[in-house]
Amino acid sequence: MINFLGNIMGSILRYVYTFVSSVLPSEPSYISYYAIAIIITSIIFKLILLPISLKQINSSRRMTELQPLIKEIQTKYKSDPKTMQVKMQELYKEHQYNPASGCLVLIIQMPIIFAFFAVFRDPATYAFTDPGMYESMAKNFFWISNLDLSDPYLWGLPLLAGLTTYVQSITMMSANPNADPSTQSTQKIMNIMLPFIIFISARGFAAGLALYWVISNIFSIIQQLIVNRSVKKAGGQKK
């Protein structure tokens, strides 16, 4: 599955690279065609996943809205698990909510994300398969001489990867201000741990993979801010 999807994602990267190199009259000295292709392909990838991402966001928001009713049922029928389960199912049916939808969306996304990681770990296998093509390409990106190697500076892409992961987590958390306190507590811990893990990991990543991660996060942050604003506006209109 990963190899199949990786070949598809690799074909997209190859096509974008070919397009960029044909449109630009000459390759900029500070940013290679390959770096530009990674940025554009990352955005295309996020656009492909946009309907799935929006469905996941909506599922999370619906779950938060139902939390008060869920807690009420849990408190009322805590000594009668069978009745509690029946009432929970009735609640979900009444509000047309599938509690498994969020997990299903995540399961759909994961193979695609892993495939994209595979492409950026080994572009010569999945994207640039012509003998010698990948080896002969320029791969510089501003201060990075070769995107195949890790970023030489801690303040570069590793720090940006960690910071954008943190900002993305915060914007997602702000979308559910009425979430269960235990959920919020867990989320706050993850908001600290995950960016740190990403920062440490990105120090060993190929810089091309770290660049993809940063661009992907920036897209997600903008997407979440737009969704948050739309939800807030819709809520204000209802009042």
Side-chain angles (χ1 to χ4, degrees):
M1 173 66 80
I2 299 300
N3 287 336
F4 173 72
L5 292 174
N7 288 328
I8 295 176
M9 299 299 174
S11 297
I12 296 175
L13 177 61
R14 171 68 181 270
Y15 176 81
V16 172
Y17 176 86
T18 303
F19 175 77
V20 169
S21 60
S22 66
V23 169
L24 295 180
S26 61
E27 193 166 24
S29 58
Y30 54 89
I31 181 169
S32 60
Y33 290 147
Y34 179 57
I36 297 172
I38 288 177
I39 293 171
I40 295 174
T41 305
S42 300
I43 295 172
I44 291 173
F45 171 63
K46 294 299 292 186
L47 288 172
I48 291 173
L49 285 179
L50 185 59
I52 300 176
S53 298
L54 291 176
K55 188 173 181 63
Q56 186 176 20
I57 290 172
N58 183 61
S59 176
S60 177
R61 182 171 57 83
R62 289 289 304 280
M63 187 62 177
T64 300
E65 291 172 350
L66 292 176
Q67 275 300 319
L69 297 176
I70 291 173
K71 288 186 68 175
E72 183 180 328
I73 291 174
Q74 290 173 337
T75 301
K76 186 175 182 180
Y77 300 101
K78 61 182 178 180
S79 59
D80 188 355
K82 289 186 178 180
T83 302
M84 180 194 298
Q85 187 64 28
V86 171
K87 293 296 182 181
M88 293 284 278
Q89 292 301 322
E90 290 176 353
L91 176 66
Y92 294 145
K93 185 176 181 180
E94 179 184 350
H95 292 271
Q96 297 181 337
Y97 174 74
N98 181 0
S101 60
C103 295
L104 181 60
V105 169
L106 185 61
I107 290 171
I108 293 172
Q109 286 191 74
M110 292 310 294
I112 302 175
I113 293 172
F114 287 146
F116 221 70
F117 266 66
V119 170
F120 287 125
R121 278 200 309 266
D122 193 3
T125 297
Y126 293 100
F128 307 101
T129 56
D130 296 348
M133 179 181 182
Y134 185 68
E135 290 73 16
S136 65
M137 288 165 45
K139 304 179 187 71
N140 59 297
F141 174 75
F142 294 99
W143 65 92
I144 301 170
S145 60
N146 188 342
L147 288 169
D148 270 351
L149 307 176
S150 58
D151 192 323
Y153 301 107
L154 296 181
W155 50 260
L157 290 177
L159 182 59
L160 286 173
L163 285 176
T164 53
T165 299
Y166 176 75
V167 174
Q168 182 187 5
S169 299
I170 292 298
T171 54
M172 289 179 66
M173 190 172 177
S174 65
N176 299 311
N178 300 319
D180 182 80
S182 62
T183 302
Q184 287 188 339
S185 178
T186 302
Q187 185 65 49
K188 286 178 181 178
I189 295 173
M190 289 301 297
N191 287 349
I192 297 173
M193 290 183 61
L194 184 59
F196 181 73
I197 292 172
I198 294 298
F199 168 71
I200 296 299
S201 300
R203 293 178 61 186
F205 283 169
L209 184 54
L211 177 59
Y212 151 71
W213 188 263
V214 170
I215 298 301
S216 179
N217 280 346
I218 291 173
F219 185 99
S220 295
I221 291 166
I222 295 173
Q223 171 188 301
Q224 188 67 60
L225 288 173
I226 293 173
V227 170
N228 290 357
R229 185 174 180 180
S230 299
V231 170
K232 186 176 180 181
K233 186 176 180 180
Q237 289 177 345
K238 287 181 180 179
K239 292 178 182 180

